[in-house]
Amino acid sequence: LTTSETQTPINPTTNGLPMNGRTKPELKTLDLYTNGPESTGGKNEGPSYFPLREDNGTWSIKEDPAIDAFGSVSFGIGVIDRHSTSNNPCGIYSIYVEINGLPFYNMKLDELDFKTKRYVNAHIDFRYRMEKRVPVHRTYLAPNNQLKIYDNWQDRTGILAIEDGKTYNCLYRVTDHFGNTSELKFKLNGKRMEARLKNSTTAQRTFLPNMKNSFSADGIRFRTPLNAVYDTLEFRYSSIPATENCVSPVHRICDLGTPLHKYCSISIKVDSSAERFSDRVLIISFDRKGNPVAEGGRFNNGWVTTRTRSFGDYAVMVDTLNPKVELIDNGSSLNFGDTLKFRIEDELSGVRTIELSASGKWLLPEWDYKTGIGFYVVDKHFPVGNTTLQLSAIDKVGNKTTVKRSYN
C-alpha cells in the first residue's frame, strides 16, 4: 500500500489489511551505550548487552534489575516478533520509552520512504546486527538519521544525562503490528565511576556527518561527501604489509562494523613493479572471513581509485586470470527448443560481458551471476545445419576466455 499523494509505502496492517497475530514481541537484550568521554555504565569497554527474561508477562534484566551508570548514556533493545502461525521473524510496529514517568522516546512504523531506507543503518545497532544477526533498535537519534518515524524527533536525541546519586525508573513498551505488547522495566542508579579507556588505538581524525571529510597517509587517500557518516566518528586507520597476491599494503579504514551512508572515494598507491599491469589492477576489500571482494578501480599515475560504501580493509591486486568458461555437454547436435547450458565463473574482478554466437550470428543467452550457470534455448535465430558455436566471457579488467564447439 502507498499514499496517493506521494506514493510512500504505508503499513498495511494499520490500514485495513486483515492479518492474524497473537504472539507478543520477544525481548532479547537491553543495550547500554556511553555517549561521552566521562560517561560510564555497563560491564564492557564498548556497548554493554544485558540478557532479558520474562516472568508472568513482564520482562526484566536477567542478572540484575538495576544498572549503575553515570553521564550521557543511550539505549537499544533487541527484539524479535513472530506471527502466531509461523516461526519466521517479522518487524515490530512501535517502541515507547518512559523515564521516571515522563515520555522519553517514541517510534512508530506507519510508513517508510524507500528513498530513505538506508538510514535504517543509523537506527539499528549496525555492528551487533552484522555479528549476531539479531535486530537491535537503538533508541538514540543520530545526527544524520533522517527517518521520519519518530515523534518530536527534532527536539530529542535519546541521550539521558544521569546524575550521581539519583535513581531512574525506566520503561520500554514494544508493540507489534497486531497490538500485542511486551514491557521491560529496569532501574538506573546514578553512580560516578572511573571512566574506562574507550579504545587503545588513537583516532587519527574526527569525521562529522554535516561535513565533507578526508584522510590521507602514506599510500592511501580517503574522502567522503557531505553526510556520509551518521554520527561523529573517531576515524581510526592502520596498515599491515601486503598479503599474498596484493601489490600494496592492506589499509585498515575503521572496520566493517561502522556503517557508511554514501559512496566515498578511496585511492591506493601500488608498488612500482605492478605498474606494467596498470590495465589489470583493481582495489579489493576483504569480507568478514578474509576473502577478497572486487571493488573495481582506475589506474592513474601510480594510484588506483574507486568508490566504496563500506569501511574495512582495502588493498590492490592484479587480476591476470581469465574467466572459466565451460559448455555443459549437450551431445553433438542442437535442435529447435533444445537448451544449451554453460557455466562461467571469474575468481576476482567478476564477469562483465558474455558473448554467444553461432557461425558468426549473435545469440541471446541468460546467465545467473550467483550460481554461474547460464543457458540458451535454441530459437529461430540459431543457424540450421552444421554450425560452430562460440561462447566468450570477458571480466571487468579485460581478461577474456573463448570456447568453441561444432554442432550438426
Side-chain angles (χ1 to χ4, degrees):
L1 295 177
T2 61
T3 61
S4 57
E5 296 84 4
T6 64
Q7 298 300 302
T8 300
I10 58 177
N11 186 348
T13 63
T14 58
N15 287 273
L17 181 66
M19 296 183 70
N20 294 320
R22 298 185 180 89
T23 304
K24 292 183 177 182
E26 179 184 353
L27 309 186
K28 306 294 287 186
T29 61
L30 172 71
D31 313 315
L32 175 68
Y33 309 85
T34 54
N35 291 84
E38 303 300 322
S39 302
T40 57
K43 303 169 290 186
N44 305 315
E45 178 183 308
S48 294
Y49 303 97
F50 298 91
L52 304 177
R53 65 181 177 187
E54 184 183 18
D55 186 17
N56 295 323
T58 301
W59 291 84
S60 61
I61 298 173
K62 184 178 293 186
E63 299 175 355
D64 190 339
I67 301 173
D68 292 337
F70 174 78
S72 299
V73 301
S74 59
F75 308 96
I77 189 159
V79 56
I80 295 177
D81 188 52
R82 305 180 194 276
H83 286 291
S84 55
T85 57
S86 171
N87 197 42
N88 295 330
C90 55
I92 60 168
Y93 169 62
S94 68
I95 298 176
Y96 171 78
V97 182
E98 206 172 78
I99 307 290
N100 288 339
L102 298 176
F104 181 74
Y105 173 93
N106 195 21
M107 177 212 82
K108 289 183 180 180
L109 280 171
D110 287 318
E111 62 182 48
L112 181 64
D113 193 337
F114 287 145
K115 292 183 293 186
T116 61
K117 67 179 182 178
R118 189 172 175 85
Y119 288 105
V120 169
N121 290 339
H123 173 80
I124 64 172
D125 185 326
F126 185 84
R127 184 184 304 277
Y128 195 83
R129 179 70 176 86
M130 183 183 68
E131 295 177 354
K132 305 294 185 180
R133 313 305 298 173
V134 174
V136 169
H137 296 260
R138 292 200 63 179
T139 51
Y140 158 72
L141 305 183
N144 190 28
N145 179 357
Q146 298 185 28
L147 294 174
K148 309 301 183 185
I149 60 175
Y150 311 102
D151 284 358
N152 300 320
W153 68 281
Q154 299 95 334
D155 305 322
R156 303 185 183 184
T157 63
I159 295 178
L160 177 64
I162 299 179
E163 299 179 28
D164 191 25
K166 289 191 175 182
T167 299
Y168 301 82
N169 295 300
C170 306
L171 167 69
Y172 265 80
R173 184 178 295 130
V174 181
T175 305
D176 67 15
H177 297 280
F178 313 102
N180 304 304
T181 298
S182 295
E183 289 190 350
L184 164 68
K185 295 180 180 180
F186 63 97
K187 287 187 177 181
L188 287 171
N189 295 325
K191 184 178 181 181
R192 186 186 294 271
M193 297 172 285
E194 182 179 351
R196 296 184 180 94
L197 183 63
K198 300 292 184 182
N199 194 317
S200 58
T201 304
T202 302
Q204 279 81 3
R205 190 154 299 178
T206 299
F207 277 20
L208 299 175
N210 60 346
M211 293 182 61
K212 296 179 180 179
N213 303 279
S214 64
F215 172 81
S216 62
D218 186 21
I220 179 75
R221 296 194 292 252
F222 188 82
R223 297 190 301 274
T224 80
L226 191 71
N227 289 325
V229 295
Y230 297 105
D231 204 343
T232 300
L233 172 66
E234 299 301 315
F235 184 90
R236 288 178 167 85
Y237 164 82
S238 63
S239 66
I240 61 174
T243 58
E244 184 180 5
N245 299 324
C246 292
V247 292
S248 76
V250 177
H251 300 274
R252 291 184 165 168
I253 306 170
C254 295
D255 61 64
L256 286 170
T258 304
L260 266 173
H261 188 72
K262 294 182 178 180
Y263 280 100
C264 304
S265 172
I266 180 172
S267 300
I268 298 177
K269 189 172 180 58
V270 301
D271 296 341
S272 57
S273 60
E275 293 192 10
R276 60 193 180 98
F277 299 106
S278 60
D279 59 340
R280 296 290 189 269
V281 294
L282 73 158
I283 291 178
I284 56 101
S285 61
F286 294 90
D287 64 18
R288 292 177 58 199
K289 296 181 179 179
N291 300 315
V293 178
E295 300 286 346
R298 292 183 177 275
F299 179 87
N300 182 36
N301 197 28
W303 291 77
V304 183
T305 301
T306 192
R307 299 194 312 154
T308 182
R309 201 158 57 167
S310 299
F311 287 121
D313 292 0
Y314 288 86
V316 176
M317 283 186 175
V318 177
D319 184 1
T320 58
L321 298 177
N322 292 333
K324 296 178 181 179
V325 179
E326 176 188 4
L327 286 170
I328 299 175
D329 193 17
N330 289 82
S332 59
S333 63
L334 282 175
N335 300 307
F336 186 86
D338 287 349
T339 300
L340 170 73
K341 293 184 178 180
F342 56 87
R343 180 182 291 107
I344 296 178
E345 298 174 346
D346 190 77
E347 294 185 358
L348 190 55
S349 62
V351 176
R352 182 184 65 194
T353 304
I354 295 174
E355 299 172 348
L356 179 66
S357 63
S359 297
K361 195 170 186 177
W362 182 78
L363 305 172
L364 181 63
E366 296 191 32
W367 181 70
D368 185 341
Y369 77 94
K370 293 181 179 179
T371 64
I373 301 297
F375 67 91
Y376 163 71
V377 178
V378 176
D379 56 19
K380 64 181 180 180
H381 302 290
F382 194 82
V384 178
N386 296 333
T387 187
T388 298
L389 189 78
Q390 179 172 298
L391 176 64
S392 299
I394 306 170
D395 68 16
K396 293 179 180 178
V397 296
N399 299 310
K400 182 177 181 178
T401 299
T402 299
V403 297
K404 297 181 180 180
R405 181 177 291 180
S406 296
Y407 292 93
N408 52 46

